[in-house]
Amino acid sequence: MTATNGGPLQEILERAHRVPDLDHFPGVDEITERLDDLAGRYPGLVTSRRIGTSRLGDPITMYSIGAGPDEALVYAGVHPNEPIGFWTAIRLAEDLCADEDLRGGCRWNIIGCIDPDGTRLNEGWFDGPFNRVNCLEHFYRPAPAEQVEWSFPFQYKNAYFDQVMPEAFALMRVIDELKPVVAVSLHNTEVGGVYYYVTRELGGFVDELHAITASFGLPLDLGEPESPVARPLGPAVYEMISAKATYDYTESLGLTPYTSSGGSSSEYAERHGTVSLVAELPYWTHPANDDQTPSEVPYREVLARMADALGKDLDAMIEIFDAARPYLSDDSQLVRATDAFLPYLAKRPERDRLRAEKEDPARVATVAEAFGLTDVHRSFRLRFGGMLLRSLEGEIARGSAAAVLHPLCRRMREHYREWQEEAAALDQELRTVPIKDLVGVQYAATLALLNAVRREAG
């Protein structure tokens, strides 16, 4: 059933459009306070239990609402730099408590924040101002092996990963216990349009995701996919990316696959027949995001140009970090993440140049593809340059930094301010999406997934 005939999707959209105006993103303490308050106000309906502990000592709590028999699992903060899902989890929990019809036949299990430690390192921009320069100056993304989303056990060819972090282990136990019918890993992107991942095709679901996006007036992201291994199920809807597919693709290019992280939560949940969804929402959109008109530049040229520009900036960051590394503290999450990401990212320019060589010379990039590829370069240097700068400044702020760190920090700060100035100029072209609309799309997609799985089961 679709939105056009007044079926369940229309009811879902009506609920989603009732998300109120929101003027900030909640941090760890506010998430806990709001969900604990619900558990206190609805003691016969909401069950809360501690499912684990973060590496730095924060409790991780799951809130269960409803009686089943179906089990649904929703979890936010798997990438702690992606806070839209915090509001989605809170809003869903609030509505489930207030509306018996919404709960019907399903127990919803909601984890408001699965990575408190990482989230606290991103909270510097959660109250605004909401522009990309401020956001990425306070950006933190854990090293791949320390990301909850990508630290599940994985064994394939020469890859073997079993260093499951406590937060991911807590989520593993919950998945094995619940064997959920559906699971929603709450993510978001940065600049662009809306796109989705789902573990398998469901009849009519792609059209429903498109209808949800259109209902909120947001563009689909029709440019360069996040990963070249993403198999499209429809415009801006992809089959879930897997560690196995990424390994095979990298190997096919003659490169050595990255083997220092694990599988995803959705890969792990598939053993129980769980259908998983990721809805990627942008804070900002640009007119080029869904522009399918041809640009004047061959796709391979745009790709190679981006690879060269990114490679140049990565070389500058790596030179500074290599000189600073002996004097940086290993107990810093920022240092560990920078140490992991820079060599990992350093392989991307070579991979993209190889991709460019294999592309048809006659293929012209669309406006969306050209913008998306160029913006990858802008985003990566702001994200990971910001993390490097915070690593250096944090060591200096401790009051015991080696003298060599001070000139390195000044050099990095000069690079970063130049990149910020370029980004600020582009920010004038971006539209900031209201937070309530971003939450509304995730909320609607989550409910629509359960509806689609039930519809297919008959």
Side-chain angles (χ1 to χ4, degrees):
M1 302 178 76
T2 68
T4 58
N5 62 14
L9 183 59
Q10 186 59 41
E11 298 170 11
I12 288 170
L13 288 172
E14 289 171 1
R15 294 179 188 276
H17 278 279
R18 291 198 289 267
V19 174
D21 287 333
L22 300 165
D23 62 2
H24 71 290
F25 290 108
V28 174
D29 295 331
E30 182 179 355
I31 296 164
T32 301
E33 181 181 344
R34 285 177 176 270
L35 292 174
D36 279 350
D37 178 66
L38 275 180
R41 287 193 286 125
Y42 297 92
L45 179 61
V46 181
T47 301
S48 66
R49 63 183 171 104
R50 184 168 177 168
I51 59 170
T53 307
S54 78
R55 286 160 294 167
L56 294 179
D58 259 312
I60 300 171
T61 304
M62 183 172 74
Y63 302 82
S64 300
I65 307 169
D70 291 336
E71 300 277 2
L73 178 61
V74 178
Y75 42 101
V78 280
H79 285 148
N81 57 291
E82 300 174 359
I84 295 170
F86 298 144
W87 275 131
T88 304
I90 291 167
R91 179 65 183 187
L92 179 61
E94 290 172 342
D95 283 2
L96 287 165
C97 287
D99 190 338
E100 183 177 356
D101 290 339
L102 188 60
R103 301 193 297 270
C106 184
R107 182 170 70 159
W108 289 86
N109 304 277
I110 298 171
I111 304 171
C113 182
I114 192 68
D115 184 1
D117 302 345
T119 299
R120 292 190 188 280
L121 284 176
N122 281 283
E123 291 180 2
W125 73 275
F126 283 7
D127 290 322
F130 295 112
N131 59 65
R132 182 150 65 159
V133 168
N134 184 54
C135 168
L136 297 188
E137 187 171 358
H138 297 91
F139 173 93
Y140 164 71
R141 190 178 184 94
E146 297 184 36
Q147 295 176 15
V148 176
E149 185 62 277
W150 291 103
S151 62
F152 282 73
F154 179 66
Q155 183 174 8
Y156 181 65
K157 295 185 178 178
N158 292 326
Y160 185 85
F161 182 86
D162 64 358
Q163 298 176 16
V164 181
M165 53 194 282
E167 296 87 341
F169 190 63
L171 186 55
M172 280 176 57
R173 288 198 301 256
V174 165
I175 290 170
D176 288 336
E177 173 195 333
L178 298 176
K179 300 177 177 58
V181 174
V182 297
V184 181
S185 182
L186 295 168
H187 287 256
N188 64 254
T189 185
E190 180 185 312
V191 174
V194 179
Y195 59 102
Y196 303 89
Y197 295 104
V198 63
T199 47
R200 63 180 174 84
E201 295 187 63
L202 299 165
F205 189 50
V206 169
D207 290 340
E208 290 175 338
L209 292 175
H210 289 168
I212 290 168
T213 308
S215 173
F216 285 88
L218 297 180
L220 294 170
D221 197 315
L222 301 179
E224 182 76 1
E226 180 181 18
S227 168
V229 306
R231 185 176 77 86
L233 304 177
V237 182
Y238 303 93
E239 184 178 72
M240 196 74 74
I241 295 173
S242 70
K244 178 180 177 181
T246 302
Y247 186 110
D248 286 340
Y249 177 77
T250 305
E251 193 176 49
S252 74
L253 293 175
L255 302 175
T256 303
Y258 184 79
T259 58
S260 297
S261 59
S264 70
S265 60
S266 62
E267 286 178 89
Y268 187 81
E270 279 192 275
R271 68 191 59 202
H272 301 300
T274 304
V275 180
S276 296
L277 172 73
V278 168
E280 296 274 10
L281 286 303
Y283 310 120
W284 304 282
T285 64
H286 187 276
N289 294 140
D290 58 353
D291 189 340
Q292 294 297 283
T293 57
S295 69
E296 298 179 355
V297 186
Y299 178 85
R300 64 186 297 176
E301 183 177 326
V302 178
L303 185 57
R305 187 187 302 161
M306 184 276 288
D308 289 343
L310 180 61
K312 178 183 176 182
D313 290 335
L314 285 171
D315 285 346
M317 286 188 270
I318 290 169
E319 181 185 351
I320 291 171
F321 185 70
D322 284 350
R325 184 64 183 94
Y327 310 98
L328 297 175
S329 304
D330 290 335
D331 61 354
S332 165
Q333 294 181 81
L334 287 160
V335 171
R336 293 200 305 270
T338 304
D339 201 6
F341 271 115
L342 288 182
Y344 172 72
L345 291 170
K347 298 178 181 179
R348 172 149 186 169
E350 180 185 5
R351 188 196 76 185
D352 286 341
R353 291 186 194 103
L354 289 171
R355 284 180 58 204
E357 291 172 4
K358 295 183 178 183
E359 285 291 338
D360 181 356
R363 180 190 166 193
V364 175
T366 66
V367 170
E369 287 173 332
F371 175 82
L373 281 169
T374 304
D375 205 57
V376 164
H377 169 222
R378 280 189 291 258
S379 176
F380 276 16
R381 68 182 185 179
L382 283 176
R383 286 181 170 200
F384 301 106
M387 284 172 50
L388 171 54
L389 184 58
R390 289 177 72 188
S391 297
L392 297 169
E393 291 179 338
E395 190 70 30
I396 290 171
R398 286 160 58 103
S400 57
V404 69
L405 289 181
H406 293 273
L408 293 171
C409 188
R410 283 196 298 272
R411 279 175 55 195
M412 188 59 223
R413 193 179 297 117
E414 289 170 4
H415 283 306
Y416 198 69
R417 296 300 175 243
E418 179 183 331
W419 300 340
Q420 286 185 312
E421 288 172 6
E422 291 183 27
L426 176 69
D427 279 353
Q428 306 305 310
E429 303 174 17
L430 301 178
R431 178 177 82 89
T432 301
V433 181
I435 297 173
K436 69 180 182 64
D437 292 345
L438 299 171
V439 175
V441 171
Q442 269 193 342
Y443 177 104
T446 298
L447 296 179
L449 174 67
L450 178 61
N451 186 51
V453 169
R454 284 175 161 176
R455 183 175 62 227
E456 187 174 86

